[in-house]
């Protein structure tokens, strides 16, 4: 499946690809400080049955501590964010649809998940403001 671009330039795609590469490395290594550094504050996570906000790097880190055991249990050693869609909403905001592809320690693919990320890009680069779980 190719990336559907809506006014996204190649430079923006390159920046987002690099950003999600850093984010995936932080997720799969349990680097909660790295995860927190990828989020704008305040931030929000929204799913079908819950939503929560966080307003400090410590709160971001705490919210992702629960994911680390899941990755360990499934022996996930790598994650790749496949950008499916990039919608430019304003000069600073983009809605990015991502399908995660995971790899376990034996080299087998593990079914991934799909999320939409509201990204704010500023002088320091992209940051996640909102994560929306999707199917």
């Amino acid at each position: 499946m190719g990336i559907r671009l809506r006014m996204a330039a190649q430079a923006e795609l390159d920046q987002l690809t690099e950003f999600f590469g850093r984010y995936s490395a932080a997720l799969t290594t349990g680097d909660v400080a790295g995860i927190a550094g990828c989020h704008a504050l305040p931030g929000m996570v929204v799913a079908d049955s819950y939503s929560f906000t966080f307003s400090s790097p410590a709160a971001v880190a705490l919210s992702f501590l629960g994911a680390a055991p899941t990755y360990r249990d499934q022996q996930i050693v790598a994650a790749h964010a496949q950008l499916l869609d990039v919608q430019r909403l304003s000069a600073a905001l983009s809605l990015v649809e991502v399908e995660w592809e995971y790899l376990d320690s034996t080299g087998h693919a593990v079914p991934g998940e799909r999320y939409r990320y509201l990204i704010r890009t500023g002088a320091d680069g992209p940051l996640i403001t909102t994560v929306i779980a999707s199917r």
Side-chain angles (χ1 to χ4, degrees):
M1 185 180 285
I3 301 172
R4 291 176 287 160
L5 304 178
R6 299 180 195 187
M7 299 171 39
Q10 187 60 48
E12 179 183 11
L13 289 176
D14 292 345
Q15 186 179 41
L16 288 168
T17 299
E18 187 276 331
F19 170 77
F20 279 104
R22 282 188 291 115
Y23 187 57
S24 67
L27 286 170
T28 55
T29 60
D31 176 7
V32 290
I35 294 168
C38 291
H39 286 265
L41 299 174
M44 177 179 241
V45 174
V46 179
D48 287 343
S49 60
Y50 64 89
S51 59
F52 60 88
T53 60
F54 38 78
S55 57
S56 70
V60 176
L62 282 173
S63 70
F64 283 91
L65 281 177
T70 301
Y71 287 131
R72 276 194 307 272
D73 290 347
Q74 293 181 330
Q75 298 180 353
I76 292 174
V77 296
H80 171 71
Q82 181 180 9
L83 304 182
L84 300 177
D85 190 23
V86 177
Q87 298 175 46
R88 172 64 78 158
L89 303 176
S90 72
L93 297 175
S94 296
L95 187 62
V96 181
E97 184 178 2
V98 173
E99 184 168 5
W100 287 97
E101 301 169 333
Y102 301 116
L103 189 65
D104 69 16
S105 60
T106 63
H108 292 97
V110 176
E113 301 159 318
R114 191 176 283 199
Y115 293 92
R116 285 186 173 83
Y117 296 88
L118 182 59
I119 302 288
R120 180 182 298 122
T121 302
D124 294 332
L127 293 172
I128 299 167
T129 63
T130 305
V131 178
I132 305 166
S134 56
R135 297 286 164 217

